[in-house]
Amino acid sequence: MAKRIITISREFGSGGRFIGKEVAKQLGIAYYDKNMINEIAEKSGLSPEYIQENAELSPRKGLFAYAFSGRDITGKSVEDMVYEAQRKVILDLAQKEPCVIVGRNADYILKDREDVLNVFIHGNMPEKIQRISRLYHVSEQEAVKMMADTDKRRMTNYNFYTEQKWGKASNYTLCLNSSQLGYASCEKLIMECSE
Protein backbone atom coordinates (compact mmCIF):
# COMPACT_ATOMS: atom_id res chain seq x y z
CA MET A 1 0.00 0.00 0.00
CA ALA A 2 1.30 3.46 -0.89
CA LYS A 3 2.01 5.67 2.08
CA ARG A 4 0.01 8.92 2.01
CA ILE A 5 1.53 10.28 5.20
CA ILE A 6 5.22 10.45 6.08
CA THR A 7 6.18 11.26 9.65
CA ILE A 8 9.72 12.30 10.44
CA SER A 9 11.15 12.11 13.93
CA ARG A 10 14.72 13.29 14.29
CA GLU A 11 17.68 14.02 16.47
CA PHE A 12 18.53 17.70 16.77
CA GLY A 13 21.14 18.56 14.13
CA SER A 14 20.50 15.51 11.92
CA GLY A 15 18.82 17.56 9.18
CA GLY A 16 15.47 15.77 9.57
CA ARG A 17 13.45 18.96 9.10
CA PHE A 18 15.37 19.83 5.91
CA ILE A 19 14.99 16.27 4.57
CA GLY A 20 11.26 16.28 5.33
CA LYS A 21 10.76 19.59 3.57
CA GLU A 22 12.63 18.34 0.47
CA VAL A 23 10.66 15.08 0.37
CA ALA A 24 7.37 17.00 0.53
CA LYS A 25 8.54 19.35 -2.22
CA GLN A 26 9.68 16.52 -4.50
CA LEU A 27 6.47 14.53 -3.94
CA GLY A 28 4.33 17.65 -4.36
CA ILE A 29 2.53 17.12 -1.03
CA ALA A 30 1.89 19.32 2.01
CA TYR A 31 4.58 19.85 4.62
CA TYR A 32 3.72 20.40 8.29
CA ASP A 33 6.07 21.40 11.02
CA LYS A 34 6.09 24.78 12.70
CA ASN A 35 3.23 25.84 10.43
CA MET A 36 0.92 23.71 12.66
CA ILE A 37 1.60 25.92 15.66
CA ASN A 38 -1.19 28.45 15.07
CA GLU A 39 -3.76 25.66 14.63
CA ILE A 40 -2.60 23.94 17.82
CA ALA A 41 -2.70 27.29 19.63
CA GLU A 42 -6.23 27.93 18.39
CA LYS A 43 -7.47 24.50 19.52
CA SER A 44 -5.77 24.72 22.93
CA GLY A 45 -6.49 28.39 23.65
CA LEU A 46 -2.80 29.00 24.37
CA SER A 47 -0.47 31.47 22.66
CA PRO A 48 1.51 30.45 19.55
CA GLU A 49 4.70 31.37 21.45
CA TYR A 50 3.83 28.91 24.23
CA ILE A 51 3.07 26.18 21.68
CA GLN A 52 6.33 26.89 19.82
CA GLU A 53 8.29 26.30 23.01
CA ASN A 54 6.29 23.44 24.54
CA ALA A 55 4.34 21.36 22.00
CA GLU A 56 7.19 19.06 21.08
CA LEU A 57 9.50 19.51 24.03
CA SER A 58 8.98 18.69 27.67
CA PRO A 59 9.49 21.37 30.29
CA ARG A 60 13.13 21.67 31.30
CA LYS A 61 12.47 20.03 34.66
CA GLY A 62 12.60 16.36 33.69
CA LEU A 63 10.19 13.42 33.54
CA PHE A 64 9.23 13.23 37.23
CA ALA A 65 8.34 16.92 37.41
CA TYR A 66 6.62 16.60 34.02
CA ALA A 67 4.35 13.86 35.26
CA PHE A 68 3.19 15.85 38.29
CA SER A 69 3.44 19.50 37.24
CA GLY A 70 0.47 21.83 37.34
CA ARG A 71 -2.42 19.38 37.15
CA ASP A 72 -5.95 20.63 37.72
CA ILE A 73 -8.70 18.72 39.56
CA THR A 74 -9.33 16.56 36.49
CA GLY A 75 -5.66 15.55 36.55
CA LYS A 76 -4.79 17.46 33.35
CA SER A 77 -1.83 19.77 32.98
CA VAL A 78 -1.32 22.56 30.43
CA GLU A 79 1.05 20.15 28.63
CA ASP A 80 -1.76 17.58 28.41
CA MET A 81 -4.05 20.19 26.82
CA VAL A 82 -1.33 21.11 24.32
CA TYR A 83 -0.75 17.44 23.48
CA GLU A 84 -4.48 16.83 22.98
CA ALA A 85 -4.80 19.88 20.70
CA GLN A 86 -1.71 18.78 18.77
CA ARG A 87 -3.13 15.26 18.44
CA LYS A 88 -6.41 16.59 16.99
CA VAL A 89 -4.58 18.81 14.50
CA ILE A 90 -2.38 15.92 13.32
CA LEU A 91 -5.34 13.54 12.94
CA ASP A 92 -7.22 16.20 10.94
CA LEU A 93 -4.24 16.90 8.67
CA ALA A 94 -3.70 13.20 7.97
CA GLN A 95 -7.38 12.82 7.11
CA LYS A 96 -7.35 15.88 4.85
CA GLU A 97 -4.41 15.30 2.48
CA PRO A 98 -1.16 13.45 1.78
CA CYS A 99 1.61 15.16 3.72
CA VAL A 100 4.93 15.07 5.55
CA ILE A 101 4.67 15.79 9.28
CA VAL A 102 7.85 16.54 11.21
CA GLY A 103 8.04 15.74 14.93
CA ARG A 104 5.26 16.26 17.45
CA ASN A 105 4.81 12.51 18.14
CA ALA A 106 3.00 12.15 14.79
CA ASP A 107 4.33 8.61 14.33
CA TYR A 108 2.56 7.52 17.51
CA ILE A 109 -0.56 9.62 16.98
CA LEU A 110 -1.06 8.03 13.54
CA LYS A 111 0.00 4.50 14.56
CA ASP A 112 -3.36 2.93 13.73
CA ARG A 113 -3.28 4.04 10.08
CA GLU A 114 -1.94 1.69 7.40
CA ASP A 115 -0.94 4.50 5.03
CA VAL A 116 1.81 6.02 7.19
CA LEU A 117 5.58 5.73 6.76
CA ASN A 118 7.34 6.52 10.05
CA VAL A 119 10.94 7.66 9.68
CA PHE A 120 13.58 8.39 12.34
CA ILE A 121 16.61 10.39 11.24
CA HIS A 122 19.75 10.41 13.34
CA GLY A 123 23.33 11.38 12.70
CA ASN A 124 26.90 11.22 13.92
CA MET A 125 27.99 13.66 16.58
CA PRO A 126 30.70 15.53 14.59
CA GLU A 127 28.34 16.30 11.69
CA LYS A 128 25.49 17.32 13.98
CA ILE A 129 27.79 19.63 15.97
CA GLN A 130 29.04 21.26 12.75
CA ARG A 131 25.51 21.72 11.43
CA ILE A 132 24.19 23.26 14.66
CA SER A 133 27.25 25.54 14.99
CA ARG A 134 26.76 26.76 11.43
CA LEU A 135 22.96 27.17 11.55
CA TYR A 136 22.75 28.84 14.96
CA HIS A 137 26.15 30.65 14.89
CA VAL A 138 27.28 29.07 18.16
CA SER A 139 30.50 27.46 19.39
CA GLU A 140 30.94 23.69 19.25
CA GLN A 141 30.54 23.56 23.03
CA GLU A 142 27.25 25.48 22.83
CA ALA A 143 26.09 23.23 19.97
CA VAL A 144 26.67 20.12 22.12
CA LYS A 145 24.69 21.70 24.96
CA MET A 146 21.81 22.68 22.62
CA MET A 147 21.74 19.19 21.15
CA ALA A 148 21.70 17.45 24.53
CA ASP A 149 18.99 19.76 25.88
CA THR A 150 16.70 19.58 22.82
CA ASP A 151 16.99 15.81 22.38
CA LYS A 152 16.43 15.21 26.10
CA ARG A 153 13.28 17.34 26.04
CA ARG A 154 12.01 15.64 22.85
CA MET A 155 12.68 12.24 24.37
CA THR A 156 10.94 13.10 27.66
CA ASN A 157 7.86 14.40 25.84
CA TYR A 158 7.73 11.40 23.50
CA ASN A 159 8.31 8.80 26.23
CA PHE A 160 5.70 10.42 28.50
CA TYR A 161 2.90 10.69 25.94
CA THR A 162 3.52 7.56 23.90
CA GLU A 163 4.77 5.13 26.56
CA GLN A 164 7.38 4.15 23.97
CA LYS A 165 11.09 4.88 23.77
CA TRP A 166 12.05 7.81 21.53
CA GLY A 167 14.52 6.78 18.82
CA LYS A 168 13.96 3.03 19.28
CA ALA A 169 14.11 1.43 15.83
CA SER A 170 11.05 -0.79 16.33
CA ASN A 171 8.82 2.31 16.64
CA TYR A 172 9.61 3.38 13.08
CA THR A 173 9.38 1.90 9.60
CA LEU A 174 12.73 3.35 8.56
CA CYS A 175 15.76 4.63 10.53
CA LEU A 176 18.36 6.60 8.59
CA ASN A 177 21.78 7.98 9.51
CA SER A 178 21.96 11.27 7.59
CA SER A 179 25.69 11.63 8.35
CA GLN A 180 26.54 8.40 6.59
CA LEU A 181 23.91 8.41 3.85
CA GLY A 182 23.77 12.12 3.07
CA TYR A 183 20.56 14.11 2.74
CA ALA A 184 19.91 13.28 -0.93
CA SER A 185 20.08 9.52 -0.28
CA CYS A 186 17.82 9.85 2.77
CA GLU A 187 15.28 11.73 0.66
CA LYS A 188 15.48 9.13 -2.12
CA LEU A 189 15.03 6.21 0.30
CA ILE A 190 12.04 7.84 1.99
CA MET A 191 10.37 8.48 -1.36
CA GLU A 192 11.05 4.92 -2.55
CA CYS A 193 9.61 3.48 0.67
CA SER A 194 6.48 5.62 0.38
CA GLU A 195 5.51 4.27 -3.07
Side-chain angles (χ1 to χ4, degrees):
M1 167 187 262
K3 306 298 185 189
R4 287 181 64 249
I5 314 296
I6 299 168
T7 71
I8 298 192
S9 302
R10 75 278 180 226
E11 290 179 344
F12 189 63
S14 67
R17 177 174 283 130
F18 176 83
I19 292 166
K21 198 176 277 190
E22 282 301 305
V23 166
K25 191 163 80 179
Q26 291 179 42
L27 292 175
I29 61 176
Y31 170 80
Y32 294 104
D33 181 14
K34 292 181 177 169
N35 52 347
M36 282 192 278
I37 288 171
N38 287 337
E39 247 183 285
I40 296 168
E42 205 175 288
K43 281 201 187 329
S44 68
L46 297 162
S47 75
E49 295 76 23
Y50 185 86
I51 301 300
Q52 168 82 40
E53 178 63 22
N54 296 289
E56 187 179 24
L57 306 172
S58 73
R60 297 181 189 275
K61 296 173 271 196
L63 189 58
F64 185 74
Y66 198 30
F68 296 102
S69 70
R71 303 210 173 262
D72 65 14
I73 56 169
T74 66
K76 284 194 172 199
S77 69
V78 174
E79 287 83 10
D80 294 343
M81 291 187 302
V82 170
Y83 181 78
E84 194 50 41
Q86 175 175 279
R87 188 178 158 284
K88 285 180 183 154
V89 168
I90 289 169
L91 289 169
D92 290 348
L93 293 173
Q95 200 58 40
K96 187 171 79 172
E97 63 188 338
C99 59
V100 172
I101 302 173
V102 174
R104 298 179 177 6
N105 303 337
D107 61 296
Y108 180 78
I109 291 167
L110 300 173
K111 72 182 181 335
D112 296 329
R113 293 181 63 115
E114 301 261 329
D115 60 348
V116 178
L117 176 71
N118 294 315
V119 181
F120 187 83
I121 298 175
H122 58 104
N124 297 345
M125 202 59 125
E127 286 84 0
K128 292 190 303 183
I129 291 169
Q130 268 185 339
R131 180 176 169 76
I132 293 166
S133 296
R134 192 177 64 249
L135 283 175
Y136 296 93
H137 309 289
V138 296
S139 69
E140 288 190 1
Q141 190 176 355
E142 186 61 25
V144 169
K145 188 179 175 317
M146 286 173 72
M147 194 181 343
D149 181 55
T150 302
D151 282 347
K152 181 181 179 196
R153 293 175 69 201
R154 280 180 182 162
M155 178 183 65
T156 301
N157 177 286
Y158 185 88
N159 294 357
F160 184 77
Y161 283 107
T162 69
E163 296 177 355
Q164 294 184 158
K165 191 168 178 347
W166 180 75
K168 185 178 179 189
S170 60
N171 295 337
Y172 309 95
T173 317
L174 190 62
C175 293
L176 303 170
N177 184 325
S178 61
S179 300
Q180 294 188 0
L181 296 170
Y183 292 2
S185 292
C186 287
E187 293 157 19
K188 189 170 182 269
L189 285 165
I190 292 168
M191 290 186 289
E192 284 174 4
C193 289
S194 69
E195 292 173 351

